[in-house]
Amino acid sequence: MFLKLFKNENNTHMFTPIDFILHIDEHLNTIIQMYGTLTYAILFGIIFAETGLVVTPFLPGDSLLFAAGAFAALGSMNIFVVYLILLAGAFLGDTVNYWIGHFFGQKIIDNPNIPLIKQSHIDKTQAFYEKHGGKIIVLARFIPIIRTFAPFVAGVGKMHYGTFISYNIIGGFIWVTAFTFTGYFFGNIPVVKDNFSVVIMVIIAISVIPMLFELVKSKLSSKNAKEVVD
Protein backbone atom coordinates (compact mmCIF):
# COMPACT_ATOMS: atom_id res chain seq x y z
CA MET A 1 0.00 0.00 0.00
CA PHE A 2 1.18 3.48 -0.77
CA LEU A 3 2.06 5.66 2.18
CA LYS A 4 0.16 8.86 2.95
CA LEU A 5 1.01 10.62 -0.27
CA PHE A 6 -1.57 13.34 -0.41
CA LYS A 7 -2.81 15.27 2.59
CA ASN A 8 -4.97 18.29 3.16
CA GLU A 9 -6.62 19.86 6.18
CA ASN A 10 -9.70 17.69 5.99
CA ASN A 11 -8.49 14.22 5.10
CA THR A 12 -5.69 11.95 4.09
CA HIS A 13 -5.84 10.09 0.80
CA MET A 14 -4.57 6.53 1.03
CA PHE A 15 -4.86 3.95 -1.70
CA THR A 16 -3.43 0.73 -3.08
CA PRO A 17 -1.54 0.65 -6.39
CA ILE A 18 -4.54 -1.01 -8.06
CA ASP A 19 -6.89 1.68 -6.76
CA PHE A 20 -4.50 4.37 -7.95
CA ILE A 21 -4.40 2.89 -11.46
CA LEU A 22 -8.14 2.24 -11.79
CA HIS A 23 -9.09 5.64 -10.39
CA ILE A 24 -6.18 7.61 -11.81
CA ASP A 25 -8.58 10.36 -12.94
CA GLU A 26 -9.67 11.06 -9.35
CA HIS A 27 -6.17 10.86 -7.89
CA LEU A 28 -4.58 12.98 -10.61
CA ASN A 29 -7.28 15.60 -10.09
CA THR A 30 -6.40 15.64 -6.38
CA ILE A 31 -2.69 16.05 -7.19
CA ILE A 32 -3.39 18.95 -9.56
CA GLN A 33 -5.59 20.73 -7.03
CA MET A 34 -3.11 20.30 -4.20
CA TYR A 35 0.24 20.83 -5.94
CA GLY A 36 -0.48 22.99 -8.99
CA THR A 37 2.57 23.33 -11.22
CA LEU A 38 4.48 20.82 -9.08
CA THR A 39 2.21 18.25 -10.73
CA TYR A 40 4.59 18.28 -13.71
CA ALA A 41 7.45 17.15 -11.45
CA ILE A 42 5.23 14.47 -9.89
CA LEU A 43 4.24 13.15 -13.33
CA PHE A 44 7.91 13.03 -14.33
CA GLY A 45 8.82 11.24 -11.10
CA ILE A 46 6.14 8.57 -11.48
CA ILE A 47 6.95 7.78 -15.12
CA PHE A 48 10.69 7.86 -14.40
CA ALA A 49 10.31 5.46 -11.45
CA GLU A 50 7.88 3.15 -13.28
CA THR A 51 10.29 2.73 -16.18
CA GLY A 52 13.61 3.32 -14.42
CA LEU A 53 13.48 1.47 -11.10
CA VAL A 54 13.14 -2.28 -11.29
CA VAL A 55 11.49 -2.38 -7.84
CA THR A 56 8.51 -0.14 -8.80
CA PRO A 57 6.72 -1.90 -11.67
CA PHE A 58 3.39 -1.38 -9.86
CA LEU A 59 3.30 2.36 -10.60
CA PRO A 60 0.84 3.55 -13.28
CA GLY A 61 2.15 4.00 -16.80
CA ASP A 62 -0.38 3.80 -19.64
CA SER A 63 -3.23 5.01 -17.45
CA LEU A 64 -1.21 7.98 -16.18
CA LEU A 65 -0.27 9.08 -19.71
CA PHE A 66 -3.91 8.85 -20.79
CA ALA A 67 -5.21 10.71 -17.73
CA ALA A 68 -2.54 13.43 -18.04
CA GLY A 69 -3.61 14.03 -21.63
CA ALA A 70 -7.26 14.19 -20.61
CA PHE A 71 -6.61 16.77 -17.87
CA ALA A 72 -4.43 18.81 -20.23
CA ALA A 73 -7.39 18.98 -22.62
CA LEU A 74 -9.45 20.51 -19.80
CA GLY A 75 -6.85 23.24 -19.37
CA SER A 76 -5.59 21.95 -16.01
CA MET A 77 -2.10 21.57 -17.47
CA ASN A 78 -0.25 22.63 -20.61
CA ILE A 79 -0.29 19.73 -23.07
CA PHE A 80 3.10 20.58 -24.56
CA VAL A 81 4.79 20.76 -21.16
CA VAL A 82 3.06 17.54 -20.10
CA TYR A 83 4.16 15.81 -23.29
CA LEU A 84 7.81 16.87 -22.99
CA ILE A 85 7.92 15.99 -19.29
CA LEU A 86 6.52 12.52 -19.94
CA LEU A 87 8.89 11.94 -22.86
CA ALA A 88 11.84 12.90 -20.68
CA GLY A 89 10.67 10.64 -17.84
CA ALA A 90 10.21 7.67 -20.17
CA PHE A 91 13.54 8.12 -21.94
CA LEU A 92 15.63 8.80 -18.83
CA GLY A 93 13.87 6.06 -16.87
CA ASP A 94 14.76 3.34 -19.37
CA THR A 95 18.30 4.71 -19.68
CA VAL A 96 18.91 4.62 -15.92
CA ASN A 97 17.36 1.15 -15.70
CA TYR A 98 19.69 -0.10 -18.41
CA TRP A 99 22.78 1.14 -16.57
CA ILE A 100 21.54 -0.23 -13.25
CA GLY A 101 21.27 -3.62 -14.93
CA HIS A 102 24.62 -3.16 -16.65
CA PHE A 103 26.61 -2.37 -13.51
CA PHE A 104 24.61 -3.90 -10.66
CA GLY A 105 22.23 -6.37 -12.31
CA GLN A 106 23.92 -9.62 -11.36
CA LYS A 107 24.39 -8.53 -7.75
CA ILE A 108 20.70 -7.65 -7.54
CA ILE A 109 19.70 -10.99 -9.10
CA ASP A 110 21.92 -12.95 -6.71
CA ASN A 111 20.63 -11.08 -3.65
CA PRO A 112 18.29 -13.45 -1.74
CA ASN A 113 16.53 -10.46 -0.19
CA ILE A 114 15.11 -9.49 -3.58
CA PRO A 115 12.91 -12.49 -4.50
CA LEU A 116 11.14 -10.57 -7.27
CA ILE A 117 14.08 -10.99 -9.65
CA LYS A 118 15.37 -14.50 -10.38
CA GLN A 119 18.12 -15.77 -12.64
CA SER A 120 15.65 -18.01 -14.48
CA HIS A 121 13.57 -14.96 -15.40
CA ILE A 122 16.67 -13.17 -16.68
CA ASP A 123 17.75 -16.18 -18.74
CA LYS A 124 14.33 -16.49 -20.38
CA THR A 125 14.18 -12.80 -21.16
CA GLN A 126 17.69 -12.82 -22.61
CA ALA A 127 16.73 -15.76 -24.83
CA PHE A 128 13.71 -13.78 -25.96
CA TYR A 129 15.98 -10.81 -26.77
CA GLU A 130 18.30 -13.03 -28.80
CA LYS A 131 15.39 -14.36 -30.85
CA HIS A 132 13.43 -11.15 -31.43
CA GLY A 133 16.11 -8.50 -31.18
CA GLY A 134 15.88 -4.91 -30.01
CA LYS A 135 12.25 -4.54 -31.09
CA ILE A 136 11.38 -6.06 -27.71
CA ILE A 137 12.46 -2.74 -26.15
CA VAL A 138 9.74 -1.06 -28.21
CA LEU A 139 7.08 -3.72 -27.61
CA ALA A 140 7.81 -3.79 -23.88
CA ARG A 141 6.84 -0.11 -23.61
CA PHE A 142 3.22 -1.14 -24.05
CA ILE A 143 3.16 -3.91 -21.46
CA PRO A 144 2.78 -3.11 -17.74
CA ILE A 145 5.53 -4.60 -15.53
CA ILE A 146 7.44 -5.96 -18.53
CA ARG A 147 8.45 -2.42 -19.56
CA THR A 148 10.08 -2.03 -16.12
CA PHE A 149 12.15 -5.21 -16.47
CA ALA A 150 13.05 -4.97 -20.17
CA PRO A 151 15.73 -2.24 -19.95
CA PHE A 152 17.13 -3.80 -16.78
CA VAL A 153 17.54 -7.15 -18.51
CA ALA A 154 19.02 -5.43 -21.57
CA GLY A 155 21.66 -3.96 -19.25
CA VAL A 156 22.31 -7.28 -17.52
CA GLY A 157 22.69 -8.97 -20.90
CA LYS A 158 25.13 -6.22 -22.01
CA MET A 159 23.04 -5.26 -25.06
CA HIS A 160 25.05 -2.78 -27.12
CA TYR A 161 24.14 0.67 -25.77
CA GLY A 162 23.84 2.18 -29.26
CA THR A 163 21.25 -0.44 -30.16
CA PHE A 164 19.42 0.00 -26.87
CA ILE A 165 19.27 3.79 -27.02
CA SER A 166 17.84 3.73 -30.55
CA TYR A 167 14.98 1.46 -29.57
CA ASN A 168 14.58 3.34 -26.29
CA ILE A 169 13.96 6.60 -28.17
CA ILE A 170 11.60 5.01 -30.70
CA GLY A 171 9.64 3.07 -28.09
CA GLY A 172 9.39 5.96 -25.67
CA PHE A 173 8.24 8.35 -28.39
CA ILE A 174 5.52 6.01 -29.69
CA TRP A 175 4.33 5.06 -26.18
CA VAL A 176 4.08 8.57 -24.76
CA THR A 177 2.65 10.08 -27.94
CA ALA A 178 0.00 7.39 -28.40
CA PHE A 179 -1.40 7.39 -24.87
CA THR A 180 -1.01 11.07 -24.01
CA PHE A 181 -2.69 12.38 -27.15
CA THR A 182 -5.35 9.67 -27.09
CA GLY A 183 -6.24 10.97 -23.63
CA TYR A 184 -6.04 14.57 -24.88
CA PHE A 185 -8.45 14.04 -27.79
CA PHE A 186 -10.76 11.36 -26.38
CA GLY A 187 -10.41 11.36 -22.58
CA ASN A 188 -13.14 13.91 -22.00
CA ILE A 189 -15.82 12.43 -24.22
CA PRO A 190 -18.80 11.89 -21.86
CA VAL A 191 -18.98 8.11 -22.32
CA VAL A 192 -15.24 7.85 -21.60
CA LYS A 193 -15.35 10.15 -18.56
CA ASP A 194 -18.32 8.27 -17.10
CA ASN A 195 -16.60 4.90 -17.53
CA PHE A 196 -12.99 5.89 -16.89
CA SER A 197 -12.12 2.76 -14.89
CA VAL A 198 -13.46 0.52 -17.65
CA VAL A 199 -11.48 2.47 -20.25
CA ILE A 200 -8.29 2.06 -18.20
CA MET A 201 -8.87 -1.69 -17.96
CA VAL A 202 -9.36 -1.85 -21.74
CA ILE A 203 -6.16 0.16 -22.26
CA ILE A 204 -4.22 -2.24 -20.04
CA ALA A 205 -5.71 -5.25 -21.88
CA ILE A 206 -4.84 -3.79 -25.28
CA SER A 207 -1.32 -3.04 -24.04
CA VAL A 208 -0.68 -6.75 -23.50
CA ILE A 209 -1.71 -7.76 -27.05
CA PRO A 210 1.67 -7.09 -28.77
CA MET A 211 3.61 -9.33 -26.41
CA LEU A 212 0.90 -12.02 -26.48
CA PHE A 213 1.14 -11.99 -30.26
CA GLU A 214 4.91 -12.44 -30.09
CA LEU A 215 4.59 -15.24 -27.53
CA VAL A 216 1.97 -17.10 -29.58
CA LYS A 217 4.07 -16.70 -32.73
CA SER A 218 7.11 -17.97 -30.84
CA LYS A 219 5.19 -20.98 -29.50
CA LEU A 220 3.86 -21.84 -32.96
CA SER A 221 7.35 -21.57 -34.47
CA SER A 222 8.77 -23.87 -31.78
CA LYS A 223 5.93 -26.33 -32.31
CA ASN A 224 6.43 -26.40 -36.08
CA ALA A 225 10.18 -26.84 -35.66
CA LYS A 226 9.61 -29.75 -33.29
CA GLU A 227 7.19 -31.40 -35.71
CA VAL A 228 9.75 -31.10 -38.52
CA VAL A 229 12.41 -32.74 -36.32
CA ASP A 230 10.03 -35.54 -35.32
PDB file of all heavy atoms in Angstrom, residues 146-165:
ATOM      1  N   ILE A 146       6.378  -5.558 -17.616  1.00  0.00           N
ATOM      2  CA  ILE A 146       7.436  -5.958 -18.534  1.00  0.00           C
ATOM      3  C   ILE A 146       8.293  -4.763 -18.937  1.00  0.00           C
ATOM      4  O   ILE A 146       9.516  -4.874 -19.063  1.00  0.00           O
ATOM      5  CB  ILE A 146       6.849  -6.622 -19.800  1.00  0.00           C
ATOM      6  CG1 ILE A 146       6.113  -7.913 -19.436  1.00  0.00           C
ATOM      7  CG2 ILE A 146       7.957  -6.915 -20.814  1.00  0.00           C
ATOM      8  CD1 ILE A 146       6.991  -8.979 -18.839  1.00  0.00           C
ATOM      9  N   ARG A 147       7.659  -3.588 -19.134  1.00  0.00           N
ATOM     10  CA  ARG A 147       8.454  -2.424 -19.557  1.00  0.00           C
ATOM     11  C   ARG A 147       9.430  -1.976 -18.470  1.00  0.00           C
ATOM     12  O   ARG A 147      10.419  -1.309 -18.761  1.00  0.00           O
ATOM     13  CB  ARG A 147       7.544  -1.272 -19.978  1.00  0.00           C
ATOM     14  CG  ARG A 147       6.781  -0.605 -18.884  1.00  0.00           C
ATOM     15  CD  ARG A 147       6.100   0.676 -19.377  1.00  0.00           C
ATOM     16  NE  ARG A 147       4.891   0.943 -18.606  1.00  0.00           N
ATOM     17  CZ  ARG A 147       3.671   0.588 -19.004  1.00  0.00           C
ATOM     18  NH1 ARG A 147       3.501  -0.003 -20.165  1.00  0.00           N
ATOM     19  NH2 ARG A 147       2.621   0.818 -18.241  1.00  0.00           N
ATOM     20  N   THR A 148       9.158  -2.360 -17.209  1.00  0.00           N
ATOM     21  CA  THR A 148      10.083  -2.029 -16.124  1.00  0.00           C
ATOM     22  C   THR A 148      11.291  -2.954 -16.135  1.00  0.00           C
ATOM     23  O   THR A 148      12.416  -2.536 -15.847  1.00  0.00           O
ATOM     24  CB  THR A 148       9.370  -2.126 -14.766  1.00  0.00           C
ATOM     25  OG1 THR A 148       8.203  -1.299 -14.784  1.00  0.00           O
ATOM     26  CG2 THR A 148      10.275  -1.664 -13.640  1.00  0.00           C
ATOM     27  N   PHE A 149      11.067  -4.226 -16.498  1.00  0.00           N
ATOM     28  CA  PHE A 149      12.149  -5.211 -16.467  1.00  0.00           C
ATOM     29  C   PHE A 149      12.979  -5.227 -17.747  1.00  0.00           C
ATOM     30  O   PHE A 149      14.156  -5.573 -17.722  1.00  0.00           O
ATOM     31  CB  PHE A 149      11.592  -6.607 -16.214  1.00  0.00           C
ATOM     32  CG  PHE A 149      11.139  -6.836 -14.806  1.00  0.00           C
ATOM     33  CD1 PHE A 149       9.801  -6.746 -14.470  1.00  0.00           C
ATOM     34  CD2 PHE A 149      12.046  -7.109 -13.801  1.00  0.00           C
ATOM     35  CE1 PHE A 149       9.376  -6.928 -13.160  1.00  0.00           C
ATOM     36  CE2 PHE A 149      11.638  -7.300 -12.487  1.00  0.00           C
ATOM     37  CZ  PHE A 149      10.297  -7.212 -12.166  1.00  0.00           C
ATOM     38  N   ALA A 150      12.367  -4.856 -18.874  1.00  0.00           N
ATOM     39  CA  ALA A 150      13.050  -4.972 -20.170  1.00  0.00           C
ATOM     40  C   ALA A 150      14.386  -4.218 -20.236  1.00  0.00           C
ATOM     41  O   ALA A 150      15.402  -4.801 -20.630  1.00  0.00           O
ATOM     42  CB  ALA A 150      12.114  -4.520 -21.292  1.00  0.00           C
ATOM     43  N   PRO A 151      14.433  -2.933 -19.882  1.00  0.00           N
ATOM     44  CA  PRO A 151      15.728  -2.235 -19.951  1.00  0.00           C
ATOM     45  C   PRO A 151      16.737  -2.769 -18.946  1.00  0.00           C
ATOM     46  O   PRO A 151      17.948  -2.782 -19.212  1.00  0.00           O
ATOM     47  CB  PRO A 151      15.362  -0.772 -19.665  1.00  0.00           C
ATOM     48  CG  PRO A 151      14.067  -0.827 -18.922  1.00  0.00           C
ATOM     49  CD  PRO A 151      13.348  -2.003 -19.496  1.00  0.00           C
ATOM     50  N   PHE A 152      16.257  -3.214 -17.789  1.00  0.00           N
ATOM     51  CA  PHE A 152      17.132  -3.798 -16.776  1.00  0.00           C
ATOM     52  C   PHE A 152      17.810  -5.050 -17.324  1.00  0.00           C
ATOM     53  O   PHE A 152      19.028  -5.221 -17.212  1.00  0.00           O
ATOM     54  CB  PHE A 152      16.315  -4.136 -15.527  1.00  0.00           C
ATOM     55  CG  PHE A 152      17.098  -4.829 -14.443  1.00  0.00           C
ATOM     56  CD1 PHE A 152      17.896  -4.111 -13.567  1.00  0.00           C
ATOM     57  CD2 PHE A 152      17.025  -6.210 -14.292  1.00  0.00           C
ATOM     58  CE1 PHE A 152      18.613  -4.747 -12.560  1.00  0.00           C
ATOM     59  CE2 PHE A 152      17.738  -6.854 -13.292  1.00  0.00           C
ATOM     60  CZ  PHE A 152      18.534  -6.122 -12.421  1.00  0.00           C
ATOM     61  N   VAL A 153      17.010  -5.910 -17.947  1.00  0.00           N
ATOM     62  CA  VAL A 153      17.545  -7.151 -18.512  1.00  0.00           C
ATOM     63  C   VAL A 153      18.474  -6.849 -19.681  1.00  0.00           C
ATOM     64  O   VAL A 153      19.489  -7.529 -19.874  1.00  0.00           O
ATOM     65  CB  VAL A 153      16.396  -8.083 -18.955  1.00  0.00           C
ATOM     66  CG1 VAL A 153      16.944  -9.311 -19.679  1.00  0.00           C
ATOM     67  CG2 VAL A 153      15.576  -8.515 -17.752  1.00  0.00           C
ATOM     68  N   ALA A 154      18.141  -5.821 -20.465  1.00  0.00           N
ATOM     69  CA  ALA A 154      19.025  -5.425 -21.568  1.00  0.00           C
ATOM     70  C   ALA A 154      20.393  -5.023 -21.026  1.00  0.00           C
ATOM     71  O   ALA A 154      21.423  -5.333 -21.615  1.00  0.00           O
ATOM     72  CB  ALA A 154      18.409  -4.262 -22.344  1.00  0.00           C
ATOM     73  N   GLY A 155      20.401  -4.349 -19.881  1.00  0.00           N
ATOM     74  CA  GLY A 155      21.661  -3.963 -19.251  1.00  0.00           C
ATOM     75  C   GLY A 155      22.407  -5.158 -18.705  1.00  0.00           C
ATOM     76  O   GLY A 155      23.633  -5.263 -18.860  1.00  0.00           O
ATOM     77  N   VAL A 156      21.686  -6.067 -18.067  1.00  0.00           N
ATOM     78  CA  VAL A 156      22.307  -7.278 -17.516  1.00  0.00           C
ATOM     79  C   VAL A 156      22.939  -8.094 -18.645  1.00  0.00           C
ATOM     80  O   VAL A 156      24.043  -8.623 -18.516  1.00  0.00           O
ATOM     81  CB  VAL A 156      21.268  -8.142 -16.766  1.00  0.00           C
ATOM     82  CG1 VAL A 156      21.891  -9.470 -16.343  1.00  0.00           C
ATOM     83  CG2 VAL A 156      20.739  -7.411 -15.550  1.00  0.00           C
ATOM     84  N   GLY A 157      22.209  -8.192 -19.767  1.00  0.00           N
ATOM     85  CA  GLY A 157      22.690  -8.970 -20.904  1.00  0.00           C
ATOM     86  C   GLY A 157      23.722  -8.248 -21.744  1.00  0.00           C
ATOM     87  O   GLY A 157      24.176  -8.776 -22.762  1.00  0.00           O
ATOM     88  N   LYS A 158      24.111  -7.023 -21.308  1.00  0.00           N
ATOM     89  CA  LYS A 158      25.132  -6.224 -22.010  1.00  0.00           C
ATOM     90  C   LYS A 158      24.753  -5.958 -23.469  1.00  0.00           C
ATOM     91  O   LYS A 158      25.603  -5.993 -24.367  1.00  0.00           O
ATOM     92  CB  LYS A 158      26.491  -6.929 -21.937  1.00  0.00           C
ATOM     93  CG  LYS A 158      26.978  -7.224 -20.520  1.00  0.00           C
ATOM     94  CD  LYS A 158      27.164  -5.940 -19.715  1.00  0.00           C
ATOM     95  CE  LYS A 158      27.831  -6.214 -18.361  1.00  0.00           C
ATOM     96  NZ  LYS A 158      26.987  -6.988 -17.425  1.00  0.00           N
ATOM     97  N   MET A 159      23.451  -5.680 -23.714  1.00  0.00           N
ATOM     98  CA  MET A 159      23.044  -5.264 -25.056  1.00  0.00           C
ATOM     99  C   MET A 159      23.836  -4.012 -25.432  1.00  0.00           C
ATOM    100  O   MET A 159      24.051  -3.138 -24.593  1.00  0.00           O
ATOM    101  CB  MET A 159      21.537  -4.957 -25.091  1.00  0.00           C
ATOM    102  CG  MET A 159      21.055  -4.387 -26.420  1.00  0.00           C
ATOM    103  SD  MET A 159      19.296  -3.902 -26.405  1.00  0.00           S
ATOM    104  CE  MET A 159      18.523  -5.511 -26.504  1.00  0.00           C
ATOM    105  N   HIS A 160      24.277  -3.934 -26.674  1.00  0.00           N
ATOM    106  CA  HIS A 160      25.053  -2.776 -27.116  1.00  0.00           C
ATOM    107  C   HIS A 160      24.241  -1.516 -26.851  1.00  0.00           C
ATOM    108  O   HIS A 160      23.064  -1.413 -27.230  1.00  0.00           O
ATOM    109  CB  HIS A 160      25.371  -2.895 -28.605  1.00  0.00           C
ATOM    110  CG  HIS A 160      26.297  -1.832 -29.096  1.00  0.00           C
ATOM    111  ND1 HIS A 160      25.855  -0.598 -29.540  1.00  0.00           N
ATOM    112  CD2 HIS A 160      27.660  -1.809 -29.201  1.00  0.00           C
ATOM    113  CE1 HIS A 160      26.882   0.140 -29.903  1.00  0.00           C
ATOM    114  NE2 HIS A 160      27.995  -0.569 -29.712  1.00  0.00           N
ATOM    115  N   TYR A 161      24.884  -0.525 -26.199  1.00  0.00           N
ATOM    116  CA  TYR A 161      24.145   0.669 -25.775  1.00  0.00           C
ATOM    117  C   TYR A 161      23.590   1.455 -26.960  1.00  0.00           C
ATOM    118  O   TYR A 161      22.496   2.019 -26.885  1.00  0.00           O
ATOM    119  CB  TYR A 161      25.034   1.577 -24.929  1.00  0.00           C
ATOM    120  CG  TYR A 161      24.283   2.781 -24.392  1.00  0.00           C
ATOM    121  CD1 TYR A 161      23.255   2.625 -23.466  1.00  0.00           C
ATOM    122  CD2 TYR A 161      24.581   4.066 -24.841  1.00  0.00           C
ATOM    123  CE1 TYR A 161      22.540   3.717 -22.987  1.00  0.00           C
ATOM    124  CE2 TYR A 161      23.881   5.167 -24.360  1.00  0.00           C
ATOM    125  CZ  TYR A 161      22.858   4.990 -23.432  1.00  0.00           C
ATOM    126  OH  TYR A 161      22.151   6.065 -22.972  1.00  0.00           O
ATOM    127  N   GLY A 162      24.326   1.478 -28.071  1.00  0.00           N
ATOM    128  CA  GLY A 162      23.839   2.183 -29.256  1.00  0.00           C
ATOM    129  C   GLY A 162      22.534   1.585 -29.760  1.00  0.00           C
ATOM    130  O   GLY A 162      21.606   2.302 -30.149  1.00  0.00           O
ATOM    131  N   THR A 163      22.467   0.252 -29.738  1.00  0.00           N
ATOM    132  CA  THR A 163      21.248  -0.442 -30.156  1.00  0.00           C
ATOM    133  C   THR A 163      20.119  -0.150 -29.179  1.00  0.00           C
ATOM    134  O   THR A 163      18.993   0.172 -29.583  1.00  0.00           O
ATOM    135  CB  THR A 163      21.479  -1.966 -30.216  1.00  0.00           C
ATOM    136  OG1 THR A 163      22.528  -2.249 -31.144  1.00  0.00           O
ATOM    137  CG2 THR A 163      20.207  -2.694 -30.637  1.00  0.00           C
ATOM    138  N   PHE A 164      20.432  -0.236 -27.896  1.00  0.00           N
ATOM    139  CA  PHE A 164      19.422   0.001 -26.871  1.00  0.00           C
ATOM    140  C   PHE A 164      18.858   1.411 -26.951  1.00  0.00           C
ATOM    141  O   PHE A 164      17.644   1.615 -26.906  1.00  0.00           O
ATOM    142  CB  PHE A 164      20.008  -0.237 -25.475  1.00  0.00           C
ATOM    143  CG  PHE A 164      19.089   0.203 -24.365  1.00  0.00           C
ATOM    144  CD1 PHE A 164      18.039  -0.601 -23.962  1.00  0.00           C
ATOM    145  CD2 PHE A 164      19.260   1.442 -23.750  1.00  0.00           C
ATOM    146  CE1 PHE A 164      17.171  -0.188 -22.964  1.00  0.00           C
ATOM    147  CE2 PHE A 164      18.395   1.866 -22.756  1.00  0.00           C
ATOM    148  CZ  PHE A 164      17.343   1.052 -22.356  1.00  0.00           C
ATOM    149  N   ILE A 165      19.715   2.403 -27.059  1.00  0.00           N
ATOM    150  CA  ILE A 165      19.270   3.791 -27.019  1.00  0.00           C
ATOM    151  C   ILE A 165      18.392   4.119 -28.219  1.00  0.00           C
ATOM    152  O   ILE A 165      17.439   4.901 -28.118  1.00  0.00           O
ATOM    153  CB  ILE A 165      20.478   4.763 -26.948  1.00  0.00           C
ATOM    154  CG1 ILE A 165      20.049   6.116 -26.339  1.00  0.00           C
ATOM    155  CG2 ILE A 165      21.098   4.980 -28.294  1.00  0.00           C
ATOM    156  CD1 ILE A 165      19.699   6.047 -24.896  1.00  0.00           C
TER     157      ILE A 165
END
